[in-house]
Amino acid sequence: MKIFFLCFISHLLFLSVLTANNYATPGTGVRWSFNDLVANAGGDVVGTSGNYQVNDTIFISLNDTLYIYNNAVVRFAENTYLDVNGVLLINPPDSVNFTKAELATGFYGMRLDSSNGSIIKKLVIEYGNSLRLFDCSPTIDSCIFRFNSATTAFGNAAISVFRSKAIIKNCQFISNQRAAIQGGSNIANAPQISNCIFRGNNTLNLNVPQINLGSTGTDTARILNNQILRASINSGGIGFLPSGTVYAIISGNTIKNNRYGLTFNGGSNINTIVSYNLVDSNNTQNDPNLGGSGISFVGGAAGSHQNSIVTGNLFRANLWGITIQNGSRPNLGNLSNIDTTDDGKNAFINNTNATTPFIDLYNNSAFDISAQGNFWGTNDLSAIESKIFHQPDNSALGVVNYSSYILPVQLSAFNATVVNKSVNLNWVTKSEINSKAFIIERSFDGSNFKALAELKAAGNSVISREYFFSDVNAFSTSTLLYYKLKQLDIDGRTTYSRVLTVKAANETTTRVKLFYQGNNRGSMWASLTVSSDQDLTIQKISSDGRILSNKIEKLKGGVNTFEIADDGAVGRSISFIKFSCFEFAEAKPIF
């Protein structure tokens, strides 16, 4: 089998000045609005009332600030850009749109140089070239980058970084011509990328991943809780090809429907933790000679293996789960040391290709690999052996030291419903083996999670079980929350679910209202509205997921109000009532 490694661009062309700046602010510590630029830039900026056109490159000098706090559309003439050496502050109520002035031509974009104080929120950049970041680490929050082109004169990616630790969060990168975020192989960049959506980038169908990075220097890049979804046939999800040192944490992401999931090329200069990602269906090119791994590790020599730990990930429906070449030797699970951060816990499901069908792990190197404590879809050792390609299959290859691990819990669903200021969580397990508890963890920033509550698990079960938890008044201090489940088994091992991102609703999303009639909480009643006649299933459920009772109620189109009969379940620790019909399903906590 030939394993193909993608050699993506290893450097960015440095550009100091593309064209003579026609107007520069005086650099005297003044705060400028776009109306101020219209009044002072001598025709280089024209317009009013939130509609402006930039006719030549504008330079915001050191010490000056450009702010945009109102909704606006700014159209840029061909080959112009906004050059900021001072501070850029954008935070409108809804959006600011930087776009091209003419349908047939684009603009360069923006360049921020030594502009660490810049904060950019709710900006849409489209039909330009790039946001170039030089020697600065701005905050870029809730922005949209779409339909941007690629030129080697200004920048290759929607965001091109040069010695930057930018905070990039809650953004969308849609259908850009090249990579969404890119840094040079020998340039130290450590961006903090979280809760973003990457979809359909690299429309030129070149050989680059959607996130394309090199060295991080002494800092740590973090790629957390993003969705990195279907790009062009030649595109991967995340790639590191450094000529310097890399420190990276890649966790909680969904990496799906790309050519390959992740690739790391290098030896002991690469130090990464890849944890709790969903790496799914990265097989779009469907040619095993040209890639298709969930993760591809390449590089290293006898004394220079990577310091990469892979734990808690789900590899599903890729051409291979993991491929290893040269002396990279990642740590895929080591149960013989006291360190619990490398205990495997990866799950491999249905990774296959026409050349080497149903191979989850392909060790195409002469070195031994530790892959203990992982889930291979079976506990039969001979079946596991058939999923691993190593020395027994080719005497020139190293041995994979694997062991079986049956996941304590197999989740089939984990969802959240917003009701006023509360979040109702429910999850369903396919089966449970020696499960002990579920710990609900919550975060306000998507990175720092704290335990919120603990629910007792079933222990051992071969049937589906459903669990519920209500985070009451969750949105009292925040409008954006993150949840994940920590699944604890009786041996102390843990696995994590995917991360749910939950936004506060502008209005109630509940379809069912529960209320009491009579004094001292007499009989319980329900009220709901449906559009047509249909059946409603009412299930009373305990805190450990047991269904205590079932009842069918006939609904009429319109408002329905009926009593929740006392069928004896209330005396058996009922915690939730689930209402299911043709139009919706909703679980309500008992209050």
Side-chain angles (χ1 to χ4, degrees), residues 468-481:
F468 300 90
F469 175 78
S470 185
D471 187 7
V472 180
N473 291 323
F475 292 113
S476 58
T477 59
S478 176
T479 60
L480 187 63
L481 298 169

Side-chain angles (χ1 to χ4, degrees), residues 207-530:
N207 198 2
V208 294
Q210 297 200 61
I211 299 177
N212 185 9
L213 297 174
S215 170
T216 66
T218 58
D219 294 302
T220 300
R222 290 176 171 82
I223 304 174
L224 308 173
N225 305 324
N226 303 284
Q227 297 182 55
I228 305 167
L229 309 176
R230 181 179 295 277
S232 67
I233 289 177
N234 276 329
S235 291
I238 300 172
F240 281 87
L241 178 58
S243 58
T245 301
V246 167
Y247 297 96
I249 298 173
I250 302 170
S251 184
N253 304 284
T254 296
I255 306 169
K256 186 173 183 179
N257 292 130
N258 301 285
R259 176 186 176 182
Y260 58 89
L262 305 95
T263 186
F264 301 92
N265 192 322
S268 59
N269 59 317
I270 293 183
N271 308 271
T272 63
I273 295 178
V274 183
S275 63
Y276 303 104
N277 302 283
L278 170 60
V279 186
D280 187 3
S281 302
N282 295 287
N283 55 18
T284 54
Q285 192 174 44
N286 200 28
D287 186 343
N289 292 315
L290 299 177
S293 304
I295 304 181
S296 174
F297 292 98
V298 182
S304 181
H305 63 85
Q306 292 185 20
N307 300 302
S308 294
I309 296 174
V310 181
T311 182
N313 304 280
L314 171 58
F315 299 93
R316 181 174 61 199
N318 308 285
L319 295 189
W320 297 275
I322 296 176
T323 55
I324 301 167
Q325 298 182 72
N326 307 126
S328 49
R329 287 185 289 171
N331 179 352
L332 310 181
N334 184 356
L335 302 180
S336 63
N337 59 23
I338 61 174
D339 185 0
T340 60
T341 64
D342 63 351
D343 278 1
K345 304 178 186 176
N346 303 290
F348 297 88
I349 299 173
N350 199 31
N351 301 286
T352 189
N353 64 83
T355 303
T356 55
F358 299 104
I359 296 298
D360 289 321
L361 174 57
Y362 197 117
N363 180 23
N364 196 27
S365 78
F367 297 94
D368 294 344
I369 300 297
S370 182
Q372 298 176 328
N374 297 299
F375 176 65
W376 307 92
T378 176
N379 204 32
D380 182 89
L381 292 179
S382 62
I384 295 173
E385 174 63 41
S386 70
K387 296 171 178 287
I388 300 172
F389 195 96
H390 60 144
Q391 191 176 92
D393 306 288
N394 183 333
S395 60
L397 303 178
V399 173
V400 173
N401 178 17
Y402 64 88
S403 65
S404 172
Y405 173 48
I406 297 177
L407 294 178
V409 174
Q410 293 188 61
L411 283 178
S412 61
F414 178 37
N415 299 298
T417 303
V418 177
V419 181
N420 296 323
K421 290 187 177 183
S422 299
V423 177
N424 290 340
L425 300 171
N426 80 285
W427 59 98
V428 180
T429 63
K430 285 185 178 180
S431 63
E432 300 183 35
I433 300 174
N434 296 328
S435 59
K436 181 179 180 181
F438 295 97
I439 300 171
I440 300 101
E441 296 188 356
R442 183 180 66 186
S443 171
F444 294 99
D445 60 9
S447 299
N448 300 300
F449 283 83
K450 292 185 178 180
L452 182 64
E454 180 174 325
L455 270 66
K456 183 180 178 181
N460 291 284
S461 174
V462 295
I463 63 173
S464 177
R465 290 186 177 272
E466 192 165 8
Y467 296 82
F468 300 90
F469 175 78
S470 185
D471 187 7
V472 180
N473 291 323
F475 292 113
S476 58
T477 59
S478 176
T479 60
L480 187 63
L481 298 169
Y482 308 88
Y483 295 90
K484 63 181 177 181
L485 286 178
K486 182 178 182 180
Q487 303 157 37
L488 176 67
D489 73 3
I490 60 175
D491 297 324
R493 296 195 185 192
T494 58
T495 55
Y496 280 89
S497 71
R498 65 189 178 99
V499 175
L500 296 182
T501 302
V502 185
K503 293 183 179 180
N506 293 327
E507 57 185 23
T508 179
T509 60
T510 184
R511 299 291 299 269
V512 181
K513 179 182 179 182
L514 288 181
F515 57 95
Y516 289 94
Q517 289 188 354
N519 296 326
N520 299 320
R521 293 198 173 186
S523 58
M524 178 183 289
W525 288 68
S527 177
L528 58 91
T529 302
V530 292

Side-chain angles (χ1 to χ4, degrees), residues 14-16 81-84 109-113 132 134 154:
F14 185 95
L15 173 75
S16 57
Y81 63 101
L82 179 64
D83 196 341
V84 180
M110 282 198 299
R111 170 187 167 123
L112 272 61
D113 197 333
R132 295 299 310 272
F134 284 88
F154 193 84

